[in-house]
Amino acid sequence: MKILICIKQVPDMESRFKLNDAGTWYSDQDLAWRMNEYDEFAVEQAIQLREQLGEAEVVVLSVGSDRVKETMKKALAMGADRGVHIQDDTSYEKDPFQIASVIAAYAGDQNFDVIFTGMQSQDRGSAQVGVLLAGLLGMPAVTTIVGFEYDDGKATVRRELEGGLKAVVKLASPALFTCQLGLNTPRYPTLPNIMKAKRKELVSLPMADLLKVEALTTTAATQFPEKKGGGMILEGDVGELTEQLVAILKDKTTVLK
Amino acid sequence: MKTLLIAESRQGKLLPGSYEPLDFANKIGAEAAMFLVGSESDLPHFDGSLYFAEESEVGEYNPEEHLRLILEVVDKEKPQLIVLSHSSYGWDLAPRIALALQVGQISEVVGYQDGAMVVPACNSKLQRVVQAQGEVTVVTLQSGAFGLDDEPAGTPTVEKLSVQADSKFEFHGYEEAEEGGVDLTKAEIIVSAGRGIGKPENLAIVEALAKVLGGEYGASRPVVDSDWAEHSRQVGSTGQTVAPKLYIACGISGAIQHLAGMKKSEFIVAINTDRDAPIGEVADVLVVADLKQFLPALTARLEG
Ligand SMILES: Cc1cc2nc3c(=O)[nH]c(=O)nc-3n(C[C@H](O)[C@H](O)[C@H](O)COP(=O)(O)OP(=O)(O)OC[C@H]3O[C@@H](n4cnc5c(N)ncnc54)[C@H](O)[C@@H]3O)c2cc1C
Ligand SMILES: Nc1ncnc2c1ncn2[C@@H]1O[C@H](COP(=O)(O)O)[C@@H](O)[C@H]1O
């Protein structure tokens, strides 16, 4: 069994974002980087599947600049066997179709049985790369899974719909799954595993060798949303903030007597 | 401009979000035809062509058959825009349509600007203006970004599509959310805990404030997913939808799926260390503070 996980490195969403010089995306200066939250569930599910099967190879793949190798090392420390880094300093300019196409170009002859991706990336949030990748590889995809079981070549998954409803779906591998929050509890890498991960294979392949398609969408500009909410912002000493808020609640709501 | 609007049905019921693409088409002044896999007894009110297939024949999860039917209609209608909701149905289906047509997809559209689509990025802290290259574009709309104020009127001209029912996917039924727990929709005051509480022990300070206010405590999804609170307390698109007199969001960033469950509250207070947190868009008051200091101080003040 061969398992592929696709992960993306994203900035911490609590960051104060600035735009890049071209005004097309955020500036990558002074940001803290981490694994896309949805992809942590993908990594954990792949490791759990290998633990269940006893024998399987888990390959982690990421497209991006050299910086993304730090995040790939976390996946290796969580338990992935080896890493494939597709090196591209301007991957943020590539559209979901191009990202999916380069992953497909790498994965095409590798015969992966199961592929896990996140359901969406936190910065781009297109929710496209996984489904496009499956389509390009000619395998079925199930999106937004919150439950995964594997038995005898078939996966039984819980697919999240709206309002707490789930659909139970069964299909045979090879197949791709996009992982939703809460699918499992991603493990923390232990110190010995972090040390071990340093010796695991992590190869970098140049983007140019794999990219054969043009973008279907382009970002004309990135901007700060217009502030619509005219809410009040209170800042300062906790004691004073408390008095201010109580006064506002007494004035504006009927709930404080 | 010609659009094909993809409506949604589940368990025989037309989903209300189905009219959001219609509002979008109206706003951009485009001609519209609709597509629905649904039930004959609950068709959309709409004066135009409706390409229709019977839900019971297609099955709950059969994206390949939905795709095949849509491609059949695209071939007939030749739309320039194919519009879906950014829902579990739409984000699953849209990339399949885009790939089959070899065209671009723009996800989670919240507006349009000079012929381009505006979409959120980085938890709505930023927006991208996205342009598609080809003759045809697939878009999904962020839930709630568009929508008609009133239930529309009209009767569609139905063109029935014939279904091929085979599928790689076996559907084994639905699972409902667990019943029981608290009914947050009845609470007049809700104090909700987000990931900003940091550790489960800190839920107590959120609970204490809820108690002194005579309200209930709620939670964002990560707090529930981590088993720090039960599912019935989750507020948002996959939890409860609430509209209390007072909603206090503690350490909650304000992701669109959380806002969907609470933005209709009468008065909203947010406690957050991040002055730019998107919850500020809906909050009447944003208190920039560490909840670990602020909440106990507020609770003590209200007790005293
Ligand atoms: C299909 C789908 C459905 C979803 N359904 C739901 C849903 O129903 N409900 C839901 O809530 N989410 C839902 N989500 C998840 C949603 O997108 C967000 O991931 C989630 O709401 C984030 O929760 P949060 O705000 O608690 O955490 P975060 O986004 O991590 O925010 C934590 C906040 O706490 C602040 N903070 C940190 N420390 C402190 C401190 N000491 N004092 C004060 N503030 C602090 C930070 O500045 C930050 O703003 C869904 C997602 C998807 C894709
Ligand atoms: N640059 C990338 N490298 C590897 N995987 C990616 C990349 N971008 C997106 N993905 C995968 O595709 C999923 C969906 O991303 P998106 O379509 O950008 O929302 C992510 O959760 C990842 O699993």
Side-chain angles (χ1 to χ4, degrees):
Chain A
M1 160 85 89
K2 276 180 82 174
I3 307 169
L4 178 68
I5 16 181
C6 301
I7 67 167
K8 185 178 184 184
Q9 188 188 55
V10 296
D12 192 317
M13 291 302 134
E14 283 161 40
S15 308
R16 173 155 266 187
F17 292 97
K18 294 187 215 80
L19 300 185
N20 65 8
D21 290 336
T24 50
W25 196 220
Y26 54 76
S27 156
D28 65 359
Q29 301 300 303
D30 306 321
L31 292 173
W33 299 89
R34 47 165 297 173
M35 194 186 302
N36 180 38
E37 192 180 353
Y38 298 82
D39 303 349
E40 291 185 7
F41 297 95
V43 176
E44 176 63 32
Q45 203 59 52
I47 309 300
Q48 285 188 14
L49 179 56
R50 188 194 51 207
E51 286 169 350
Q52 177 200 329
L53 296 171
E55 219 170 321
E57 188 187 34
V58 177
V59 179
V60 58
L61 178 149
S62 189
V63 183
S65 69
D66 286 335
R67 189 191 58 229
V68 310
K69 289 199 276 187
E70 277 316 304
T71 298
M72 297 185 71
K73 282 181 192 147
K74 179 176 180 191
L76 294 171
M78 285 172 78
D81 296 300
R82 61 185 179 90
V84 175
H85 168 225
I86 299 176
Q87 211 290 336
D88 180 18
D89 286 339
T90 55
S91 61
Y92 61 90
E93 288 174 353
K94 309 292 185 297
D95 79 343
F97 176 63
Q98 289 178 303
I99 298 286
S101 296
V102 300
I103 301 175
Y106 163 76
D109 56 3
Q110 301 272 321
N111 298 318
F112 288 105
D113 301 282
V114 175
I115 302 179
F116 294 106
T117 72
M119 78 150 284
Q120 62 182 4
S121 55
Q122 287 175 284
D123 55 352
R124 263 293 185 86
S126 75
Q128 290 180 34
V129 169
V131 186
L132 293 175
L133 173 60
L136 290 165
L137 293 174
M139 55 169 79
V142 182
T143 55
T144 338
I145 66 163
V146 288
F148 180 90
E149 282 159 46
Y150 192 84
D151 188 30
D152 200 21
K154 277 195 161 181
T156 304
V157 298
R158 281 168 177 66
R159 172 161 202 271
E160 186 180 75
L161 310 173
E162 281 69 28
L165 194 67
K166 300 176 188 87
V168 183
V169 178
K170 199 165 174 175
L171 77 164
S173 59
L176 181 146
F177 304 92
T178 82
C179 303
Q180 163 67 319
L181 306 170
L183 170 63
N184 50 43
T185 308
R187 68 193 67 192
Y188 290 103
T190 60
L191 195 59
N193 284 345
I194 293 171
M195 300 314 288
K196 251 205 268 171
K198 291 194 168 73
R199 293 190 300 273
K200 288 183 178 172
E201 180 184 307
L202 203 181
V203 294
S204 287
L205 308 172
M207 181 72 156
D209 290 358
L210 298 165
L211 182 65
K212 306 286 177 231
V213 298
E214 298 285 321
L216 297 171
T217 58
T218 51
T219 306
T222 292
Q223 61 197 24
F224 292 96
E226 211 182 295
K227 287 257 175 258
K228 274 184 249 128
M232 219 182 295
I233 297 182
L234 303 182
E235 278 172 295
D237 168 72
V238 166
E240 282 164 31
L241 288 175
T242 313
E243 291 307 323
Q244 280 175 290
L245 183 62
V246 170
I248 293 169
L249 292 179
K250 280 193 172 143
D251 184 33
K252 302 272 166 88
T253 74
T254 53
V255 296
L256 278 200
K257 272 118 230 156
Chain B
M1 166 104 71
K2 220 167 168 186
T3 60
L4 178 65
L5 314 178
I6 313 295
E8 285 181 43
S9 167
R10 182 164 302 132
Q11 293 174 294
K13 286 261 174 301
L14 183 75
L15 298 186
S18 297
Y19 292 116
E20 295 180 0
L22 186 57
D23 179 47
F24 176 78
N26 289 347
K27 287 211 167 109
I28 63 170
E31 235 181 285
M34 265 202 197
F35 170 89
L36 172 72
V37 176
S39 156
E40 197 116 46
S41 62
D42 199 2
L43 297 179
H45 302 295
F46 159 70
D47 283 318
S49 307
L50 174 70
Y51 293 90
F52 174 79
E54 192 56 57
E55 190 179 337
S56 55
E57 289 172 28
V58 181
E60 152 59 37
Y61 189 65
N62 192 349
E64 287 162 346
E65 179 60 5
H66 285 253
L67 172 64
R68 193 191 64 77
L69 291 168
I70 289 171
L71 293 178
E72 203 178 294
V73 177
V74 167
D75 206 39
K76 258 188 232 165
E77 284 284 323
K78 308 241 177 316
Q80 287 113 304
L81 262 186
I82 303 167
V83 189
L84 301 93
S85 299
H86 198 68
S87 60
S88 62
Y89 180 70
W91 66 61
D92 187 272
L93 198 51
R96 301 177 200 261
I97 303 170
L99 186 66
L101 297 172
Q102 292 282 308
V103 303
Q105 180 194 332
I106 304 176
S107 306
E108 223 188 332
V109 170
V110 295
Y112 46 91
Q113 189 175 310
D114 312 324
M117 304 289 168
V118 181
V119 304
C122 297
N123 200 10
S124 302
K125 282 188 164 185
L126 297 172
Q127 284 183 338
R128 285 193 310 137
V129 182
V130 188
Q131 201 105 41
Q133 302 306 316
E135 300 285 295
V136 185
T137 310
V138 179
V139 303
T140 62
L141 306 179
Q142 184 179 83
S143 165
F146 299 90
L148 304 170
D149 292 334
D150 304 305
E151 175 96 349
T155 313
T157 316
V158 177
E159 180 150 344
K160 212 159 170 204
L161 302 165
S162 60
V163 172
Q164 298 167 8
D166 54 329
S167 173
K168 290 197 186 90
F169 304 92
E170 296 167 37
F171 174 60
H172 285 258
Y174 292 107
E175 270 177 18
E176 305 277 347
E178 290 153 54
E179 289 283 326
V182 279
D183 184 0
L184 284 184
T185 60
K186 295 221 166 67
E188 292 202 333
I189 299 173
I190 298 172
V191 186
S192 281
R195 182 154 36 201
I197 65 170
K199 49 183 185 189
E201 294 76 37
N202 287 336
L203 192 63
I205 58 178
V206 174
E207 238 184 300
L209 177 61
K211 195 161 166 231
V212 74
L213 285 166
E216 280 293 347
Y217 75 93
S220 70
R221 179 166 180 153
V223 172
V224 171
D225 281 345
S226 309
D227 284 331
W228 299 352
E230 58 204 294
H231 184 263
S232 64
R233 295 198 183 264
Q234 183 179 315
V235 173
S237 59
T238 47
Q240 301 292 315
T241 302
V242 300
K245 290 193 168 139
L246 175 63
Y247 188 91
I248 306 185
C250 309
I252 294 178
S253 63
I256 176 73
Q257 297 89 359
H258 188 81
L259 301 188
M262 47 65 75
K263 66 177 176 210
K264 299 228 167 81
S265 304
E266 277 175 40
F267 200 82
I268 300 172
V269 176
I271 323 292
N272 205 304
T273 42
D274 180 3
R275 198 180 190 280
D276 300 331
I279 190 86
E281 269 298 295
V282 301
D284 296 283
V285 183
L286 169 65
V287 181
V288 184
D290 185 331
L291 64 87
K292 294 191 288 296
Q293 273 110 51
F294 183 78
L295 293 185
L298 182 62
T299 305
R301 169 67 178 72
L302 292 168
E303 271 171 347

